[in-house]
Amino acid sequence: MPDFIDLSPAAPWRELRVTAQDAAALDPKTGRTMLAQMALIRAFEEKVLDLAAQGLVHGPAHSAIGQEGGAVGSALAMRPGDEVNGSHRAHHQFLAKALAHVAQTGIDPEQPFEPQIRDLAKKTLAEILGLAQGFCKGRGGSMHLRWAEAGNLGTNAIVGGGVPMAAGAAWAHRRAGRGAVVYSYFGDGATNIGSVLETMNLAAAWKLPICFFIENNRYAVSTHVEEVTAETRLSARGLAFGIPALKVDGMDALAVYLAAQEANRILRAGEGPVIIEADLYRYFHQNGALPGSAFGYRTKEEEAEWRARDPIEALGRLLAGRQILGDAGIAGLRERSVALMEEVAAELIETAEGRRRIIPALWPEESFRDYGLRGDLSEMAGARYLEQQAFPGEIAQGAKFIDLVADVMERRMATDERIVVMGEDVHRLKGGTNGATRGLSQAYPDRCLGTPISENAFTGVAAGMAADGRVRPVIEFMYPDFMWVAADQVFNQIGKFRHMFGGESPMPLVLRTKVAMGTGYGSQHSMDPAGIFATAPGWRIVAPSTPYDYVGLMNSALMCDDPVLVIEHVDLYNSKGPAPVGDLDYCIPLGRAKVVRPGTKLTILTYLAMVEKTRAVVEELGVDAEIVDLRSLDRAGLDWETIEASVRKTNNVLIVEQGALGTSYGGMLADEVQRRLFDWLDQPVLRVTGGEASPSISKALETAACARPADVAAGIAAAMAGQGLPLAQ
């Protein structure tokens, strides 16, 4: 028989219980503020449920009635510079942090509420109702609440989706060195989500000042925690990552307050993340004003047992027992809280023709629909735009493309301390797997971050850095297919961030990746991501085809306050082309195409590695074709002035791309061209693409899956024949 040796975890896992001495030591002012906050939050949520029952809340009303102790106890332990985010059930967390912000000296439960508290309640309720005066101008509703000034980073409708972003904010705080911390609130369901566990691992490895606050209310919608995990003490998750964890009674606001103080001690000491698991209970169903027992997944006895532990009543008894606040004061607090919400709601709701309705003048204007989907590029004012033909200095014609990729990033990191590069192996192998980050880890070891293999987590961390505003992250995806692993962060979080939170929140992030068709890496490493990103809102896309253009477009991407996808190509890495000598500070405008070969009979729209391949075919065939290098591929970045001028001249369009038909960029582009320029076309837009299937490992099959020069030649022949034109001029 072998010997079995018990192993000890690297970090402690403890339960915190309040003692009589703790109760006796509670500062009266803190206790009174704590009770006032919980009473206000309870009244607020009750009013939301009341309005939802009247059909006045469009969408869900996820209340956290019963869970106030966790939010208030933790928020009161924070400093003004600390930040929080949460998930879809987060009214209480948002309000707890916001109340601490607007009433930093505390709230007297026996006095009328200050105007700023009333304004907070009204603006939050307006947001939940979808009104223009809300924090996110009505776009966020119940699930997307952001008030950066108060330390609310933004709540999130994707379970666990905001946790990586909180870690990014924590990284920015650690770098700033001011001792600020971040709390990310999520429920029992999120503890089984990959992005949460990935983020715990990364945060522990990097010792980030983030508290993973688990509100264990035991239910998803109706599924009990015991049905989905063998270890229902969810703070045990910390053992796997070396994260100290505290388990606490979440129905006791004082217990949570003490746990948060201990967590903050660890976080501010630079010892890395902490987990707090608060056992608590939501009184109502997932959405709406009915209890869970009405749907059969909870018993009335269970609900009554938890209601007997109500956090407001428990704290009220403690304060009354210590003669800090009497029964009359507690009752008066409740009355004023309810009255406040009645007054606030009355300013947003009216009765017309016997029915309650939102006051029509408060809705956002329909013209606001797309506002803020991306920024207006005003941040680019002062950029030194310089196309190659106007470059006043020396141009080297034999520069290696990959060298300029590394050179311009080194230059930007030298001139802008906000820039941080991150990704798998970017700090090793002489610049990652292709040399694109050569020399950066040696020159900037604290800003060239090799990450775990966890795209969803490190992409979300980068998003949190960018949203913080003090960091401009550059992510490297080793292959674009990995975007599917990080799809939530790429599309739901980064792409939608600015628009979802009202249109005024920048997301200055660059995502670099390479198209690797022809390398033999098969179906899961070879896609062209342009078509997917172009049909997802919020992203800008650039695809440089020369070293010179790469420098200018990367400089513009790093100035932009929107997320920018920079697509590279392995075929270009070792190619040689024109590049500046001694000047890496110019920009090329986002949204500016380039005519690389003039012509009068056919317009060919293409990008990236297919630019030079197409030019070679055109020259060989002797066709009078105009080749337009699109360079900017997103909807807002398409240079319709250049495209239209070419089409008006040729009346004939061919789109050339290398990748698979299914994820083709050309489908969207062809539709736009035909709708915009139909009157100038003598025949439908034609396209050259790869096959329907993704490239596979076999060299022969991979070659067949990608668009080749012969396919380009056939496409050109078809386009010319369709107009009755000879192939050669």
Side-chain angles (χ1 to χ4, degrees):
M1 284 288 291
D3 291 333
F4 291 91
I5 303 169
D6 289 337
L7 300 177
S8 298
W13 180 31
R14 298 173 292 171
E15 181 174 358
L16 184 151
R17 295 181 180 177
V18 174
T19 67
Q21 291 84 355
D22 295 323
L26 174 62
D27 173 62
K29 186 175 182 180
T30 300
R32 288 164 66 90
T33 297
M34 193 178 290
L35 186 68
Q37 283 201 9
M38 288 197 290
L40 282 162
I41 293 169
R42 174 73 59 87
F44 179 92
E45 296 235 73
E46 288 172 342
K47 177 50 65 176
V48 170
L49 293 183
D50 174 43
L51 297 176
Q54 298 177 50
L56 295 171
V57 176
H58 184 63
H62 296 121
S63 76
I65 294 175
Q67 300 184 190
E68 299 90 350
V72 172
S74 54
L76 277 179
M78 298 181 199
R79 296 175 183 171
D82 297 337
E83 294 179 315
V84 306
N85 75 357
S87 62
H88 59 286
R89 189 182 313 284
H91 303 163
H92 57 319
Q93 299 149 5
F94 178 87
L95 287 170
K97 189 67 173 73
L99 284 167
H101 172 72
V102 301
Q104 294 188 17
T105 59
I107 303 174
D108 188 337
E110 297 183 282
Q111 295 297 321
F113 297 121
E114 295 293 331
Q116 60 267 30
I117 293 176
R118 189 181 190 282
D119 292 344
L120 168 63
K122 184 177 179 180
K123 197 169 184 180
T124 308
L125 184 60
E127 183 58 46
I128 291 171
L129 294 175
L131 306 183
Q133 60 188 286
F135 280 102
C136 302
K137 302 174 185 176
R139 287 211 182 120
S142 174
M143 298 186 289
H144 310 110
L145 296 165
R146 174 177 165 84
W147 188 19
E149 180 185 335
N152 276 300
L153 298 173
T155 61
N156 207 289
I158 303 298
V159 174
V163 177
M165 296 183 70
W171 189 92
H173 285 314
R174 190 193 67 180
R175 184 181 183 220
R178 297 175 184 172
V181 306
V182 180
Y183 275 59
S184 188
Y185 297 92
F186 51 92
D188 41 281
T191 59
N192 302 316
I193 294 284
S195 60
V196 173
L197 301 175
E198 289 179 21
T199 305
M200 286 181 177
N201 175 68
L202 189 150
W206 290 2
K207 294 190 177 301
L208 301 182
I210 177 173
C211 177
F212 299 101
F213 195 103
I214 305 170
E215 290 187 312
N216 186 357
N217 64 21
R218 285 165 173 70
Y219 290 92
V221 176
S222 62
T223 302
H224 195 278
V225 66
E226 292 180 351
E227 299 177 72
V228 296
T229 185
E231 176 53 89
T232 60
R233 300 168 299 173
L234 303 178
S235 45
R237 302 295 191 266
L239 300 179
F241 305 110
I243 301 176
L246 296 166
K247 184 176 174 61
V248 66
D249 179 5
M251 306 300 278
D252 183 344
L254 175 57
V256 176
Y257 178 73
L258 296 174
Q261 286 186 319
E262 172 62 12
N264 293 343
R265 181 191 64 78
I266 296 170
L267 298 173
R268 298 193 206 282
E271 298 175 14
V274 179
I275 290 175
I276 294 177
E277 177 190 6
D279 290 317
L280 32 71
Y281 201 73
R282 58 173 165 87
Y283 293 168
F284 294 97
H285 181 53
Q286 163 80 352
N287 175 29
L290 293 174
S293 58
F295 298 87
Y297 64 87
R298 299 195 303 208
T299 67
K300 292 182 178 180
E301 291 76 18
E302 177 186 304
E303 290 171 345
E305 178 183 342
W306 280 93
R307 279 184 175 269
R309 299 171 54 193
D310 185 89
I312 297 177
E313 293 179 5
L315 182 59
R317 288 192 296 270
L318 189 157
L319 297 181
R322 286 192 51 199
Q323 299 183 338
I324 294 173
L325 186 64
D327 291 342
I330 295 172
L333 171 63
R334 168 67 179 171
E335 291 171 4
R336 283 192 301 279
S337 298
V338 171
L340 173 67
M341 290 313 305
E342 291 291 339
E343 293 169 10
V344 165
E347 296 177 10
L348 306 175
I349 309 293
E350 68 179 10
T351 300
E353 299 178 353
R355 298 182 60 185
R356 301 276 283 164
R357 70 176 188 181
I358 304 289
I359 297 173
L362 302 181
W363 291 112
E365 296 289 337
E366 288 190 3
S367 60
F368 187 63
R369 183 193 65 185
D370 293 336
Y371 172 80
L373 180 61
R374 59 187 66 82
D376 60 5
L377 296 181
S378 57
E379 67 274 18
M380 307 298 291
R384 184 168 66 98
Y385 291 125
L386 199 59
E387 294 284 1
Q388 181 182 334
Q389 62 268 27
F391 189 75
E394 180 184 353
I395 296 286
Q397 294 299 325
K400 196 173 181 181
F401 194 106
I402 192 63
D403 289 342
L404 271 297
V405 173
D407 290 347
V408 70
M409 189 56 62
E410 195 283 330
R411 173 61 178 165
R412 294 281 67 77
M413 293 183 77
T415 57
D416 189 345
E417 293 185 352
R418 297 172 298 173
I419 295 175
V420 172
V421 172
M422 57 195 299
E424 296 156 9
D425 296 302
V426 296
H427 63 318
R428 296 277 193 272
L429 307 176
K430 297 182 179 180
T433 54
N434 292 100
T437 53
R438 166 183 44 80
L440 300 185
S441 63
Q442 291 77 30
Y444 312 102
D446 60 332
R447 291 194 283 140
C448 185
L449 310 177
T451 66
I453 301 175
S454 52
E455 281 83 5
N456 207 30
F458 72 69
T459 302
V461 167
M465 293 177 178
D468 176 84
R470 293 173 291 183
V471 184
R472 286 186 174 264
V474 179
I475 314 167
E476 178 181 298
F477 274 10
M478 200 176 288
Y479 295 93
D481 308 68
F482 297 174
M483 73 177 176
W484 299 120
V485 180
D488 175 43
Q489 297 300 323
V490 169
F491 300 119
N492 274 326
Q493 310 300 338
I494 296 170
K496 296 176 181 177
F497 184 85
R498 181 192 282 268
H499 183 267
M500 182 169 68
F501 290 125
E504 305 294 343
S505 300
M507 176 54 69
L509 176 150
V510 171
L511 170 57
R512 290 181 46 250
T513 193
K514 64 176 183 282
V515 177
M517 296 176 195
T519 61
Y521 270 71
S523 298
Q524 296 175 336
H525 286 67
S526 304
M527 79 175 296
D528 177 350
I532 303 299
F533 276 83
T535 53
W539 281 89
R540 296 185 185 271
I541 310 166
V542 296
S545 64
T546 70
Y548 184 94
D549 283 0
Y550 187 93
V551 172
L553 288 170
M554 177 55 81
N555 283 335
S556 291
L558 287 169
M559 288 183 68
C560 184
D561 282 343
D562 295 325
V564 183
L565 172 68
V566 178
I567 310 177
E568 302 162 10
H569 199 298
V570 291
D571 286 355
L572 295 175
Y573 279 164
N574 291 319
S575 69
K576 294 183 179 180
V581 175
D583 182 355
L584 297 174
D585 298 327
Y586 62 90
C587 294
I588 289 175
L590 301 176
R592 184 76 56 81
K594 178 174 67 173
V595 175
V596 298
R597 184 189 189 276
T600 63
K601 303 301 183 185
L602 173 64
T603 296
I604 301 178
L605 306 177
T606 189
Y607 60 94
L608 214 62
M610 295 307 288
V611 173
E612 285 305 313
K613 292 179 181 181
T614 299
R615 193 206 306 250
V617 172
V618 168
E619 297 292 348
E620 182 179 345
L621 295 175
V623 180
D624 184 12
E626 182 155 291
I627 302 174
V628 178
D629 181 355
L630 294 170
R631 300 197 296 192
S632 287
L633 306 182
D634 55 277
R635 287 184 185 274
L638 282 168
D639 183 356
W640 288 109
E641 181 179 349
T642 297
I643 294 171
E644 181 176 340
S646 182
V647 174
R648 282 173 176 260
K649 181 169 50 174
T650 67
N651 313 116
N652 196 8
V653 177
L654 175 68
I655 298 172
V656 174
E657 56 186 323
Q658 185 181 30
L661 177 64
T663 54
S664 163
Y665 172 74
M668 181 276 286
L669 180 58
D671 173 68
E672 288 283 339
V673 170
Q674 293 189 150
R675 285 191 297 105
R676 287 173 178 258
L677 306 176
F678 181 81
D679 290 344
W680 296 94
L681 294 172
D682 289 344
Q683 65 174 334
V685 174
L686 300 182
R687 293 166 56 197
V688 173
T689 73
E692 181 179 358
S694 301
S696 47
I697 294 293
S698 165
K699 187 172 184 179
L701 295 177
E702 180 183 43
T703 302
C706 304
R708 295 169 283 182
D711 300 308
V712 178
I716 292 172
M720 299 295 281
Q723 285 192 305
L725 297 171
L727 192 58
Q729 303 302 310

